[in-house]
Amino acid sequence: MKKMFILLGTIALFLMLSCNQQTQQNAVSLDTGWKFNTGDEPAWATLAFDDSKWDTIDPKKIWEEQGYKGYDGFAWYRLHVQIPSSLKENAFIKDSIQILLGKIDDCDQVFLNGELIGENGRTIFIKTEPSAEFIKEQGKWYIDRRYVLAANDPRIHWDQDNLIAIRSYDQRGAGGVFGKPFEISMTELKDHLKFDFSSAAFMFDGDSMITKKFTIQNLSGTEEFKGKLLINAVLGDNGINIYSECTGVDITPHLKLEKSVTFKHNISKPATLQVSFIESTSGKTITDVLEIPYILTPKVSMKPQINGAKVFGVRPWSPFQFKVAATGQPPLRYSASDLPEGLVINPENGIITGSLKKKGEYTIKLTVENRLGYAERDLKIIVGDIISLTPPMGWNSWNCWGLSVSDQKIRQSAEAMKSSGLIDHGWTYINIDDGWEDTHDKYGNILPNAKFPNMKALCGYVHSLGLKIGIYSSPGPKTCGGYEGSYTFEAKDAQNYANWGIDYLKYYWCSYENIAPKPTLEQMKDPYREMKHAIRKANRDIHYSLCQYGMGDVWTWGAEVDANSWRTTGDIEDTWESLSAIGFSQNPCSPYSAPGRWNDPDMLVVGWVGWGPALHYTRLTASEQYTHITLWSLLAAPLLIGCDLTQVDAFTLNLLTNDEVIAVNQDPLGKQAAQIKKTNDYEIWTRNLEDGSIAIGLFNKTDKPLYVPVSLKDLNISGKQAMRDLWTQTDLGKVSGHFEMKTQPHGARLIKISQ
Ligand code: GLA
């Protein structure tokens, strides 16, 4: 039997190798020979224009790195190239060519022999007059520029001189063409047939059955592909096949073939699903390898357990609301001893409400009971100036619903936060992002749009579930989504938010750049100071979250404008590139983090995301998601789930409900992790915790399993240390000196050591 497994593994390997062999043949490289000029002239698109006096440029690097530092605006790239008809003759699929031009920051129009063939990543199929509008489509810098033309497109001059001209426009920051690849090639099997694994999450049935649905789609309207579909599930540890299937398939033009596999597998073990299509006449193969999510968080105990924050900040006289997060078999009964006067606890749902008038500190003892026993824990209440003494945990509408957010979606999300049990692990905020605003009325009151018929009722409903609610605005006249901002209405807006019952404000710079186009440091602070005063006057504890992508090193002055958190980077996406670039670049801000003053590397891209209204399952692998939550916990980052809570899948729920991992994020000392070691392959970050122990994150940046070595000397630690794996919640015994731990590709381990 074992031999059979090994044989199947070998076949899969052979097929994968034969897949790799077919790429890169029959391509014309566009890596060199480019000419470059700043400015904007229509004649620069034409073949005849003489560019011999232009500068040469390397298309793989942005123009700032090639002598054009600080340049913003239009610039053109030109390249003469022969397109040989041998490309067509040698090709397996002869009907289309593709021109690959790396990435372009921000906007582009691409011309072939004077005719427009592409704009901001979209092929222009028919003769179209170029317009100036394309520069309005900002934020497309990360999209691969791939323009596909029919082989008989008259814009191509086969076997002759061709001119590719790129008209690019950059508004600020990095500009122009960069990345890879740069080539002309015929489209291949992989360009026509696409596996799509993102339309369904992996499903678990008990601890040992896995089901995965996926599709294979023929994008071509003319080609039919016949062949075999080979599916293997392979254990990460030893390469042993745990499932294998081979079926004949006929994929007619435009067909989307749906496939589902179910197999037996221990869901705590890392493994991969390898799917190949082998075309029968040519033997050409496309393969995708997918990590099977593995479950690390143990099942919650039926006995009572108190989770979430151990310290809570509130200002004198502000409405007080704190929900005791606790797990255990229902019904649970909640009580609190030594509650200061002014507060009461609801014994059925554990919500503490009221208000406290005097500054001071109180330690209360919480008790949660069920028929199996009881749990006790201290909660420290600090009545003072600073709120959000642990990073906010909750959900925000942007990464799933984008501008299509509505009252109904917010209510459903709040209900799901409760019914999924997330609330019992400390998840609290339900934040409405952009897309709720209408206009200011004649009295200066901000009116929600028709999607939000009654904001006060909505806030009341969310509070009644034991949750809190947030909102979004801009200090400029308009938000990024083009909705009404708060400019000149700050005081009124804050007052309205407070009246409705808002607990969190995300305040994004967008369109304030029209007020202060090249802001000085003081001008960067001005609008945030303005809203700070407005919030303070509103007499409600509103978590104040700055969002301006880290401009002016906001972490050095966020506290000065009374912000409770500030975004340190641009928007995150559900890719490893985005996640790792943002997550591993947070070390410089680390010293500025403190209780109530958090660095915010953006929201969590797990589960069903999509920026609305259409959603897809996160493109991050399970290991990458473990890295995401591990790193964000070490970074003391606000944890704002970005997915559709109404369809949270088993893996995501398991990922977000690990109380020992969350406890690192919520640690009352509030000290952000520092990067202790960084190599090309791995990083080690450590965070000192209130009880004197140290949380250590080990991160594998490679795409292979890796043993990450840790030297306790690098952490300034000597002697024997007790070690605990926080994801699996198991003790690992004592260590001293050195140790190493296996990490999955792009994955992480989170351990805690204490004496
Ligand atoms: C900015 C923020 C996003 C989101 C959008 C809404 O881009 O960074 O997180 O809030 O605004 O328009």
Side-chain angles (χ1 to χ4, degrees):
M1 198 64 173
K2 193 160 178 184
K3 262 194 195 149
M4 170 85 164
F5 286 143
I6 292 168
L7 182 67
L8 285 168
T10 317
I11 293 171
L13 186 70
F14 167 76
L15 291 170
M16 280 163 65
L17 288 176
S18 66
C19 164
N20 289 339
Q21 276 163 10
Q22 62 149 344
T23 55
Q24 300 308 317
Q25 285 171 8
N26 300 330
V28 176
S29 167
L30 306 178
D31 278 350
T32 53
W34 288 91
K35 296 294 197 134
F36 178 77
N37 201 16
T38 56
D40 189 32
E41 295 289 338
W44 295 350
T46 60
L47 183 66
F49 178 77
D50 177 10
D51 56 24
S52 56
K53 299 221 165 51
W54 282 22
D55 283 354
T56 55
I57 196 155
D58 177 355
K60 293 186 257 9
K61 293 192 284 191
I62 51 170
W63 66 51
E64 274 81 0
E65 291 173 21
Q66 302 184 69
Y68 293 89
K69 207 162 181 169
Y71 179 72
D72 291 330
F74 283 101
W76 283 68
Y77 295 71
R78 287 172 51 92
L79 179 75
H80 285 273
V81 60
Q82 285 268 333
I83 307 182
S85 49
S86 59
L87 271 188
K88 239 186 314 187
E89 282 141 26
N90 297 338
F92 163 57
I93 301 165
K94 300 182 191 299
D95 75 348
S96 310
I97 73 165
Q98 55 185 357
I99 304 180
L100 307 181
L101 297 171
K103 296 182 168 43
I104 300 177
D105 192 338
D106 252 336
C107 306
D108 67 294
Q109 282 181 327
V110 173
F111 300 84
L112 183 64
N113 302 318
E115 309 269 1
L116 186 66
I117 59 160
E119 189 171 288
N120 293 333
R122 286 182 311 270
T123 300
I124 305 288
F125 291 102
I126 46 166
K127 197 171 162 63
T128 310
E129 278 311 303
S131 88
E133 290 294 289
F134 78 106
I135 64 169
K136 293 201 173 138
E137 244 185 292
Q138 298 288 321
K140 300 271 173 174
W141 59 270
Y142 58 87
I143 290 179
D144 291 319
R145 285 352 193 234
R146 172 174 179 263
Y147 298 115
V148 180
L149 303 180
N152 61 3
D153 190 308
R155 292 173 291 189
I156 309 167
H157 297 172
W158 288 101
D159 295 316
Q160 290 167 40
D161 187 23
N162 287 266
L163 189 275
I164 302 173
I166 305 173
R167 181 189 189 198
S168 66
Y169 178 79
D170 183 47
Q171 200 178 26
R172 89 183 140 224
V177 180
F178 70 103
K180 59 178 188 185
F182 294 90
E183 66 172 45
I184 298 180
S185 50
M186 300 302 290
T187 54
E188 304 232 27
L189 187 62
K190 67 177 165 47
D191 301 310
H192 294 277
L193 276 192
K194 295 278 176 210
F195 291 118
D196 181 7
F197 298 99
S198 68
S199 57
F202 276 87
M203 287 187 306
F204 305 114
D205 186 359
D207 294 340
S208 62
M209 288 307 282
I210 288 210
T211 297
K212 175 67 184 158
K213 288 189 180 142
F214 64 93
T215 58
I216 173 164
Q217 187 174 11
N218 186 352
L219 300 177
S220 166
T222 51
E223 303 284 333
E224 176 173 0
F225 301 105
K226 288 187 182 166
K228 287 202 161 53
L229 195 60
L230 183 73
I231 304 171
N232 288 295
V234 181
L235 272 187
D237 276 349
N238 47 19
I240 288 181
N241 258 58
I242 46 177
Y243 178 77
S244 208
E245 175 188 328
C246 191
T247 31
V249 284
D250 178 359
I251 310 173
T252 50
H254 284 318
L255 183 73
K256 193 176 196 176
L257 196 77
E258 294 191 354
K259 185 78 198 146
S260 176
V261 274
T262 299
F263 52 92
K264 212 166 170 320
H265 169 53
N266 175 346
I267 61 171
S268 66
K269 297 248 180 283
T272 53
L273 191 66
Q274 306 176 354
V275 184
S276 302
F277 171 78
I278 308 131
E279 203 279 331
S280 52
T281 47
S282 64
K284 287 195 180 286
T285 304
I286 55 164
T287 299
D288 236 320
V289 179
L290 195 68
E291 189 180 55
I292 298 173
Y294 46 100
I295 293 291
L296 295 180
T297 306
K299 288 199 174 79
V300 289
S301 161
M302 288 292 109
K303 289 192 182 148
Q305 178 179 298
I306 302 180
N307 307 310
K310 292 181 179 155
V311 56
F312 182 66
V314 65
R315 297 200 183 103
W317 295 97
S318 292
F320 186 108
Q321 179 169 324
F322 180 89
K323 155 96 179 88
V324 180
T327 44
Q329 192 184 57
L332 297 176
R333 288 219 39 106
Y334 302 78
S335 59
S337 57
D338 306 322
L339 261 191
E341 202 187 315
L343 298 185
V344 288
I345 183 164
N346 180 325
E348 263 131 50
N349 59 22
I351 304 176
I352 305 176
T353 49
S355 85
L356 294 168
K357 300 181 182 43
K358 276 208 244 76
K359 286 194 172 177
E361 282 190 27
Y362 306 88
T363 300
I364 62 174
K365 191 166 281 309
L366 302 171
T367 306
V368 178
E369 291 176 73
N370 68 7
R371 61 178 190 84
L372 300 172
Y374 73 96
E376 279 182 345
R377 197 162 97 173
D378 285 352
L379 171 70
K380 192 191 264 185
I381 298 173
I382 303 182
V383 191
D385 230 23
I386 303 183
I387 57 167
S388 300
L389 297 179
T390 61
M393 290 175 65
W395 171 90
N396 172 293
S397 58
W398 185 249
N399 288 357
C400 53
W401 301 124
L403 296 172
S404 70
V405 63
S406 65
D407 175 286
Q408 194 197 12
K409 286 186 173 129
I410 293 297
R411 280 172 193 261
Q412 287 170 345
S413 307
E415 285 157 12
M417 184 75 106
K418 189 169 175 196
S419 61
S420 64
L422 283 164
I423 190 174
D424 303 326
H425 299 270
W427 298 93
T428 302
Y429 289 94
I430 296 290
N431 291 351
I432 310 166
D433 207 281
D434 203 0
W436 64 271
E437 316 85 334
D438 191 0
T439 52
H440 287 94
D441 69 10
K442 61 180 177 193
Y443 307 107
N445 294 312
I446 180 73
L447 304 176
N449 57 39
K451 293 185 293 165
F452 289 86
N454 188 335
M455 230 11 142
K456 199 175 170 95
L458 177 62
C459 293
Y461 180 65
V462 171
H463 289 150
S464 73
L465 300 175
L467 298 167
K468 296 191 170 183
I469 183 162
I471 212 157
Y472 169 97
S473 190
S474 166
K478 291 272 174 244
T479 66
C480 296
Y483 288 81
E484 182 98 338
S486 291
Y487 184 58
T488 71
F489 292 100
E490 293 82 0
K492 272 271 178 187
D493 281 4
Q495 196 54 58
N496 275 308
Y497 302 155
N499 292 346
W500 293 336
I502 293 292
D503 306 295
Y504 190 114
L505 172 66
K506 173 174 174 184
Y507 206 44
Y508 182 71
W509 178 261
C510 225
S511 92
Y512 196 83
E513 63 205 11
N514 300 331
I515 314 287
K518 291 214 183 301
T520 60
L521 188 60
E522 280 313 299
Q523 284 171 322
M524 285 177 200
K525 295 178 188 174
D526 278 346
Y528 289 106
R529 226 183 255 129
E530 183 84 29
M531 187 49 104
K532 155 198 162 161
H533 294 309
I535 292 177
R536 278 304 185 108
K537 273 202 203 109
N539 287 334
R540 187 176 173 88
D541 288 357
I542 297 179
H543 176 104
Y544 187 26
S545 152
L546 269 45
C547 184
Q548 41 83 296
Y549 296 172
M551 246 188 335
D553 292 347
V554 63
W555 44 92
T556 62
W557 53 267
E560 189 187 319
V561 298
D562 205 18
N564 300 111
S565 58
W566 42 81
R567 280 276 296 280
T568 52
T569 68
D571 285 5
I572 198 167
E573 282 172 51
D574 55 325
T575 62
W576 172 247
E577 290 70 27
S578 169
L579 168 72
S580 55
I582 288 180
F584 293 127
S585 66
Q586 298 299 302
N587 205 37
C589 346
S590 173
Y592 298 91
S593 165
R597 313 288 186 206
W598 309 109
N599 290 309
D600 176 2
D602 206 4
M603 300 176 284
L604 304 177
V605 271
V606 300
W608 288 93
V609 292
W611 293 267
L615 303 181
H616 63 263
Y617 195 69
T618 179
R619 290 171 288 173
L620 296 177
T621 65
S623 294
E624 289 165 355
Q625 294 179 66
Y626 282 119
T627 290
H628 196 6
I629 305 301
T630 303
L631 190 50
W632 264 236
S633 294
L634 287 163
L635 295 175
L639 297 179
L640 292 170
I641 304 169
C643 68
D644 178 4
L645 289 181
T646 64
Q647 47 172 330
V648 66
D649 59 289
F651 171 77
T652 309
L653 202 56
N654 184 272
L655 180 77
L656 299 175
T657 51
N658 192 310
D659 299 304
E660 296 198 19
V661 175
I662 292 174
V664 172
N665 176 268
Q666 295 288 298
D667 187 72
L669 192 60
K671 202 147 175 38
Q672 181 174 329
Q675 185 186 51
I676 297 299
K677 185 121 193 186
K678 177 184 176 171
T679 73
N680 284 341
D681 291 347
Y682 67 88
E683 300 207 6
I684 300 175
W685 291 64
T686 62
R687 177 170 176 180
N688 293 339
L689 303 175
E690 196 197 28
D691 64 0
S693 61
I694 300 175
I696 311 177
L698 283 59
F699 299 96
N700 174 0
K701 297 192 284 186
T702 76
D703 50 16
K704 307 237 158 30
L706 182 79
Y707 281 90
V708 175
V710 182
S711 153
L712 290 181
K713 221 167 92 205
D714 291 344
L715 315 183
N716 287 329
I717 293 172
S718 54
K720 274 210 155 129
Q721 302 289 325
M723 200 155 75
R724 185 164 170 84
D725 183 324
L726 298 184
W727 276 109
T728 57
Q729 301 181 2
T730 48
D731 288 329
L732 300 175
K734 297 244 176 196
V735 279
S736 54
H738 300 265
F739 64 93
E740 55 176 22
M741 293 194 105
K742 189 172 181 186
T743 48
Q744 293 303 314
H746 294 177
R749 300 289 295 266
L750 181 62
I751 55 170
K752 185 161 117 165
I753 56 169
S754 46
Q755 268 190 330

